[in-house]
Amino acid sequence: MSLSSTLYLFFLLLVFFVYYLLPHRFRWVWLLLAGYFFYFTWQPFYLILLASSTTVAYGFGRLVKQFKSRFTLWLGIGLLLLPLLFFKYYAFLNQNLTHLLGFGGGVNPLPAWSPVVPIGISFYTFQAISYLVDIRRGYLKPERHFGYFATYLAFFPTLSAGPIERAKRVLTQLRTPQPFRYENAVAGLQLVAWGLFKKVVLANHISGLIDPVFVQPGAYSGPVLYLSLFLIPLQIFCDFSGYSDIALGSARMLGIRLMRNFDDRVYASPSRIEFWKGWHISLTSWFRDYIYFPLSKQLRSRNGLYLNLMIVYFLTGLWHGATWGYILWGLLNGLWLVAEHATKEQRQVFFRRIWPDLNAPLHRFLSILLAFHVGMFTGVFLRAPSIGATWSLLGGLFSKNRWHVTDLATLKPFLPVLMALGLMDLINRQLKNRELPELIASYGGFSRWSFYLIVCILILTFGRISDSPFFYYQF
């Protein structure tokens, strides 16, 4: 079941009420059953993969602590990665191997097969790997209670698309008795409602506007192509941050705090370096802690650090999916970050000649505009169904013939979405690194209930509450 579906809302309320009726010592059992049932509604057969990964991670966690050897750690990581590599990358490897051998006149010995990728496998696999590495580094003791550990990996708010939580944070909270607190229930529901607004009112409607453009870009004018590109990063933000808000809100209702996965106005970052500090924080921090930092211990020169960045963003693209479009998206982001780091001093000297104050509003606005458009043009590789569709869309955008005549009627559907995005940004501007429940609590009674009413009306009137999958379910 999708987190934006009516079925999930009923499921969440059922879990919530039974959870607080149970004594603390039985709550992990209820949460584990809820997690496995949640996964069962998606892909019943692949429950065996979740259970297998849980067993391997639990067992190797104790072995890593006992033997303190790198071999044990890497063996455990290898076993955890095997299902991910097979189900997510086998078809990609097979297709490219077929083309490569075909050019040389050879025949690919591997059978052609395109397995369905198990939902959430990238997320719970990375959680399991971080658990083993943290034990090896001495940051964490192995969890002795198999049930608590299984509940950590199968915690239903994070199971399908994160956040990629660290074991110490969640296991500590699962072991701590969580008494019912009215403020947690209210704050959780507020986050769920805000996430639903982002998903069903904004992301789903934006998707309905831009999906046809990707299918047939030649049928649309330049302004429509530009608006579609402009909305790509905003649609992905609304979709994925909407999911994260629902996940955080669901856990908050149970007294469990999850990490924030997005800065509130990450789409308005003045540089791509700042952008990646606030975008999908659980994934970027995972790559930082478990890939970039270990590599940087070996290569400490400036060029070595740039190479490490390229490796991290190559892996980031590959993590998103086994297509050349995702890989190219990752490499383009890596190249831009290397360019930003390498030219930082020169850019500051250049721009100070124009604006002595680099914090001037105009300079900041232009920086945001540039960073957003970089994300816009690289994001098309992430969002488009194929590289061919990407080139068709970009080719049409830069074609002079597409900008001569524009039918204004084709732009009208974009106006309500842009207005709704403006409402979201207005709220996000007021957050200023505060949590949404904290902001709402600062309102007076009339303003607070007006906010509830407006969001609920928008969800019920314009929302598409259905089992429509979130964008990051495919990863």
Side-chain angles (χ1 to χ4, degrees), residues 98-137:
T98 299
H99 291 308
L100 184 64
L101 293 175
F103 286 128
V107 178
N108 183 7
L110 296 177
W113 188 44
S114 297
V116 177
V117 180
I119 192 167
I121 190 171
S122 298
F123 295 90
Y124 67 72
T125 298
F126 271 32
Q127 287 192 169
I129 291 173
S130 69
Y131 170 74
L132 295 186
V133 176
D134 285 351
I135 291 173
R136 177 69 174 83
R137 291 175 175 177

Side-chain angles (χ1 to χ4, degrees), residues 229-256:
L229 281 175
F230 181 85
L231 289 174
I232 286 174
L234 295 172
Q235 189 253 336
I236 297 174
F237 170 81
C238 291
D239 191 283
F240 196 20
S241 71
Y243 168 88
S244 297
D245 287 338
I246 298 173
L248 267 65
S250 301
R252 182 76 169 269
M253 291 172 65
L254 304 174
I256 297 173

